[in-house]
Amino acid sequence: MPLKLQLMLLSLVMLLVPIAGYEFISELERELRQNQQQILRHTATLAANQVLQKQSWQRLGPVAVTANEPIIYAHPVFGQPILDGYFDDWQAMQAPKQTAAHDSDITYLASYSTNAFYLYINVRDSDIYYLSPGKDDSAIADGILLSFQAADNSIIDVAFRAIAPGPITPTMTTRLATGKKTINTTSVENIEGVWQESSKGFALEVRFPASWAQHKLAISRLPTATPSVSVPHARVITRSGELNQILAPFASKSLRLQLTDAEGWILAEAGTTQNEQDDMTGVTPNWLTEALGTLLRWIILEQPTSAAVNDHSGKDNSAITQTVIRTQKAASGWFSADYTRDALSVVVQPLLNDQEVTGTIRVEQMTNVIASLSNQSILYLLGSSVLLFIGLSGLLIGYASLLSFRISGLRRQVSISMTPDGKIIGDFSASRSGDEIGELSRQFATLISAVKGYTEYLETFSQKLVHEIKTPVAIVSSSLDMLKQSPSATDSNTYIDRAQEGVSRISQITNALREATRLEKSIDNTETTIFSLSQLITDIFAAYQSIDSQHDLTLSISEKPCFINGSPELIAQMLDKLFDNARGHTPEGRQIRFILKRKKSSAMLCIENEGSELPQNSQDIFDSFVSHRKENQEAHMGLGLVIVRLIAGFHGGETNAENLPEQKGVRFWVKLPLTECQERVINGN
């Protein structure tokens, strides 16, 4: 799998950030909602206690508890209606029209104010018959009969028949409860009506004094289609001002309380559920922020229960209120409001009197503050997560691209330096970076350099070996040929000696090769110890003085001792090879100098000899079978300095050779690293 893809998959771990944020926001919203409902429960309990303690509830509360009793619900007016017979003013109530139980062609709405009781009646009639002036055709003219039943069971019939569309004067008939006396009245004061035709019939808008709303009311059409059928009188329910005053102290612009009877009819209401965030902060939220936050909240967070919270009919038919009436236990819920996208937190508290439900207190409040907080949190979480994900992903991909480029660079360098069959064709350019890839690059450079050296060594090994043994083989071959041809014993011995000399030189070559191979293998298993290089050189120098009296040997050692971690035996063998090389190139009586000095954290061992200089292009002097001895000097295989290089490399050092200035000789030097013990000695600890 590519490195970029690996890091991209790894960056998916960042998705834990929005997941954790989502869990936090969800838990926060649940906790805030529960706290809100707890406050609403407390408010509902206090309001219920206040209602039950008031005599007004004892008098007004059980007003509509009779089962199956017909009800006409009068809504509070919105402003002062214009009595014109049109429905425009009534649309503000958003209330559905009620249908007469006995006649589906009659629909109506009732409304009230502090000084008036209003009715809007719509009758479906395809053929309207008006009163004719000067004729007594009231028995066949179309009209509306409003029958009011007073508390003493007396009946007041108010009939509306029109001559034409427009204002209309009703006629009123009062029937006493005893049935013995009937009063007919042709003119009625304080009762106004306006008749208008509609697309499917006619409409009547009527205004009565407010006290008429205390009577029961029956609505029927004229002329009566079925005179024998008695239209039942319905109880008119209006909201009580006294009960409204009880609820008012608990309500606010963002908190609404409703008081219902035992069947759910709303008897009092205080407060509203408008957006409370503007009132609390004084700042209208940015519409784009609110829209995006609401969309995301509705997608990822818990949603409210969809329910018909308010159908504007004047009766609370919601499941939660009806459940409280049935079970006599308080309930709470979280619902979607029917007039906004926000959610509504609702608590319903039963009003109990002698273990009977006489009504309910419903407390509700919008959750837009919680929603606004959730919106802001969600947008902040989403924005932060997206920016973090994009930024970190870009950073990881960029870093992966950089790593991939650098690793590809290593591959390209290897391809340039080495053929597929392993042949070195160029130099490897090592990186100077201090990280692992830079170190890997330098290791590759070292490896390829070593492979190149070994490859060149193997390529030239056969030539060097043939060159070394060609002369002794020729000597042996020619001696044997001459031996065959020579009859003289003296000559035969001479040829035999020459042949033995050639065999000896071949033996020296094989022994030298065996020694170098054995030394290279044995180095890997050599144990190391910390020892004084100064003391070792001093002791070995004394031994050299005792065996070499033909040269002038001198020794110069640093005043402070030099400690290294290595093998004294290998260092001694290395010195033997260097000393042997110096003796072979130093004329008799000339000087050979041993010098040991310290440079920072390294020990520099130099052996200088007076005599012949190194030829130009002598970088291969530490390779096998390389020798710059003169032809008349003792045969030499060129393996001594190879052993020096191996021993120096084992100790982490390096070797080199250079000519001395003014053509005075050659200097061979070995640089070896000092140990921590040496550092303590240098610092005087």
Side-chain angles (χ1 to χ4, degrees):
M1 184 181 295
L3 186 60
K4 291 182 182 178
L5 183 58
Q6 293 182 34
L7 291 178
M8 187 175 296
L9 293 177
L10 183 62
S11 66
L12 294 179
V13 177
M14 291 184 296
L15 293 178
L16 295 176
V17 175
I19 292 175
Y22 160 73
E23 293 295 334
F24 172 76
I25 294 175
S26 299
E27 185 62 29
L28 175 63
E29 187 173 66
R30 282 192 294 269
E31 188 68 24
L32 292 175
R33 195 166 60 244
Q34 291 173 2
N35 291 340
Q36 183 187 42
Q37 291 187 347
Q38 185 65 31
I39 294 174
L40 296 184
R41 289 191 197 97
H42 183 65
T43 302
T45 301
L46 293 177
N49 292 337
Q50 288 293 320
V51 169
L52 291 173
Q53 292 174 6
K54 297 295 181 178
Q55 293 183 356
S56 56
W57 175 248
Q58 306 296 334
R59 184 176 73 256
L60 299 173
V63 92
V65 296
T66 304
N68 300 321
E69 183 179 10
I71 297 296
I72 294 176
Y73 189 84
H75 300 270
V77 296
F78 283 78
Q80 188 69 28
I82 299 175
L83 205 67
D84 56 5
Y86 294 106
F87 192 67
D88 298 346
D89 296 339
W90 296 78
Q91 291 179 348
M93 289 189 294
Q94 300 180 353
K97 295 179 181 179
Q98 292 181 255
T99 302
H102 63 283
D103 190 346
S104 60
D105 288 337
I106 300 176
T107 58
Y108 60 89
L109 270 178
S111 179
Y112 78 97
S113 65
T114 56
N115 56 5
F117 173 54
Y118 298 89
L119 283 171
Y120 182 88
I121 304 168
N122 194 288
V123 178
R124 187 163 49 200
D125 191 345
S126 60
D127 186 14
I128 303 174
Y129 188 85
Y130 290 99
L131 285 174
S132 298
K135 293 184 180 181
D136 185 13
D137 53 359
S138 60
I140 60 173
D142 289 319
I144 294 294
L145 176 64
L146 302 180
S147 179
F148 291 88
Q149 183 179 14
D152 60 357
N153 291 326
S154 61
I155 304 298
I156 303 174
D157 292 332
V158 182
F160 293 85
R161 294 182 180 89
I163 297 175
I168 184 172
T169 301
T171 60
M172 184 173 68
T173 302
T174 302
R175 292 175 290 161
L176 300 180
T178 60
K180 295 180 179 180
K181 186 177 181 181
T182 301
I183 301 175
N184 294 325
T185 304
T186 57
S187 62
V188 180
E189 296 180 357
N190 299 325
I191 298 177
E192 300 176 75
V194 177
W195 179 296
Q196 296 290 352
E197 291 186 4
S198 63
S199 59
K200 296 182 180 180
F202 62 89
L204 177 66
E205 188 174 12
V206 187
R207 178 167 57 207
F208 291 90
S211 59
W212 286 62
Q214 299 177 8
H215 303 322
K216 291 184 177 181
L217 173 62
I219 303 174
S220 59
R221 65 188 298 181
L222 296 174
T224 303
T226 54
S228 60
V229 177
S230 176
V231 178
H233 288 77
R235 188 181 300 275
V236 178
I237 295 180
T238 62
R239 299 186 185 182
S240 168
E242 295 180 58
L243 295 177
N244 285 344
Q245 292 178 1
I246 297 175
L247 300 182
F250 302 97
S252 67
K253 291 183 179 180
S254 62
L255 184 68
R256 179 169 64 189
L257 284 83
Q258 286 182 344
L259 174 61
T260 70
D261 64 9
E263 292 193 7
W265 292 103
I266 300 174
L267 303 179
E269 181 177 290
T272 62
T273 55
Q274 70 179 27
N275 193 327
E276 56 191 313
Q277 183 179 358
D278 298 346
D279 297 333
M280 296 178 64
T281 63
V283 178
T284 302
N286 180 276
W287 68 270
L288 181 59
T289 301
E290 286 299 303
L292 289 177
T294 300
L295 176 62
L296 292 172
R297 179 166 52 84
W298 279 71
I299 291 175
I300 67 177
L301 295 182
E302 180 183 357
Q303 300 305 311
T305 302
S306 297
V309 177
N310 185 6
D311 59 6
H312 302 282
S313 66
K315 185 177 182 179
D316 189 350
N317 291 312
S318 62
I320 184 172
T321 299
Q322 297 301 320
T323 300
V324 169
I325 294 173
R326 186 176 61 256
T327 62
Q328 301 184 1
K329 294 181 179 179
S332 61
W334 186 44
F335 304 99
S336 57
D338 59 345
Y339 50 88
T340 179
R341 297 181 183 179
D342 294 326
L344 194 67
S345 187
V346 179
V347 171
V348 181
Q349 178 76 26
L351 298 174
L352 298 177
N353 188 8
D354 295 332
Q355 303 301 318
E356 282 189 32
V357 176
T358 58
T360 65
I361 291 287
R362 177 189 177 107
V363 184
E364 54 190 21
Q365 188 176 38
M366 300 299 295
T367 61
N368 37 41
V369 169
I370 298 175
S372 179
L373 178 61
S374 299
N375 292 348
Q376 295 176 9
S377 301
I378 291 172
L379 288 177
Y380 178 78
L381 172 66
L382 179 64
S384 301
S385 300
V386 169
L387 290 178
L388 178 63
F389 186 81
I390 293 176
L392 194 52
S393 297
L395 183 63
L396 289 176
I397 293 175
Y399 184 65
S401 301
L402 177 61
L403 292 180
S404 178
F405 176 77
R406 294 179 64 189
I407 294 174
S408 299
L410 292 179
R411 180 182 56 80
R412 289 191 298 270
Q413 284 285 338
V414 172
S415 300
I416 294 173
S417 304
M418 181 182 296
T419 61
D421 58 356
K423 184 177 181 180
I424 305 300
I425 58 176
D427 295 330
F428 187 93
S429 180
S431 172
R432 297 182 180 180
S433 176
D435 57 9
E436 288 80 357
I437 296 181
E439 180 63 25
L440 180 62
S441 173
R442 290 187 288 274
Q443 293 292 335
F444 275 163
T446 303
L447 175 62
I448 290 179
S449 177
V451 171
K452 180 179 180 181
Y454 283 118
T455 302
E456 292 176 350
Y457 169 75
L458 292 175
E459 290 175 348
T460 59
F461 178 76
S462 59
Q463 298 177 359
K464 293 178 180 179
L465 184 59
V466 169
H467 174 74
E468 291 294 330
I469 65 175
K470 180 173 66 174
T471 300
V473 167
I475 293 174
V476 172
S477 177
S478 61
S479 298
L480 291 177
D481 290 340
M482 296 298 294
L483 183 60
K484 291 180 181 180
Q485 299 175 6
S486 175
S488 171
T490 303
D491 292 339
S492 297
N493 291 333
T494 301
Y495 297 142
I496 292 174
D497 291 340
R498 289 179 181 177
Q500 288 179 345
E501 181 182 352
V503 171
S504 176
R505 293 182 64 179
I506 294 174
S507 178
Q508 288 179 8
I509 293 174
T510 57
N511 290 336
L513 289 173
R514 188 182 303 110
E515 179 184 1
T517 303
R518 183 172 61 251
L519 178 62
E520 189 172 2
K521 292 181 179 179
S522 65
I523 283 177
D524 295 334
N525 300 321
T526 301
E527 295 183 358
T528 61
T529 184
I530 297 176
F531 63 94
S532 173
L533 183 60
S534 305
Q535 186 62 44
L536 178 64
I537 293 176
T538 301
D539 295 341
I540 293 177
F541 179 77
Y544 291 162
Q545 283 183 317
S546 63
I547 62 174
D548 187 358
S549 58
Q550 299 177 355
H551 299 94
D552 181 14
L553 304 183
T554 63
L555 176 63
S556 175
I557 296 182
S558 173
E559 296 181 357
K560 293 183 178 180
C562 298
F563 289 90
I564 66 171
N565 184 16
S567 171
E569 292 78 11
L570 292 179
I571 295 297
Q573 189 173 1
M574 180 184 70
L575 289 173
D576 289 345
K577 298 300 180 182
L578 290 173
F579 180 59
D580 181 65
N581 180 75
R583 290 174 62 191
H585 292 83
T586 304
E588 186 175 345
R590 306 296 290 271
Q591 192 176 62
I592 299 177
R593 295 180 293 274
F594 288 77
I595 303 171
L596 179 63
K597 52 187 176 180
R598 175 173 50 83
K599 289 187 176 181
K600 296 183 179 180
S601 60
S602 301
M604 184 72 72
L605 172 62
C606 301
I607 297 181
E608 300 176 351
N609 64 278
E610 298 178 353
S612 60
E613 294 183 324
L614 294 173
Q616 295 181 352
N617 301 324
S618 58
Q619 292 87 350
D620 59 348
I621 193 170
F622 290 94
D623 293 341
S624 301
F625 298 112
V626 175
S627 177
H628 296 288
R629 296 176 185 268
K630 296 179 180 180
E631 294 295 332
N632 57 357
Q633 288 182 303
E634 181 182 353
H636 198 274
M637 302 301 109
L639 294 174
L641 295 181
V642 175
I643 296 174
V644 171
R645 177 174 56 82
L646 292 174
I647 295 176
F650 173 75
H651 289 83
E654 53 183 298
T655 61
N656 204 350
E658 57 190 7
N659 292 321
L660 293 174
E662 299 180 0
Q663 300 181 351
K664 291 185 177 181
V666 178
R667 177 190 296 124
F668 284 82
W669 56 264
V670 179
K671 186 178 180 181
L672 300 173
L674 300 175
T675 64
E676 292 183 0
C677 176
Q678 172 64 29
E679 295 296 328
R680 290 194 294 268
V681 171
I682 293 174
N683 295 328
N685 297 326

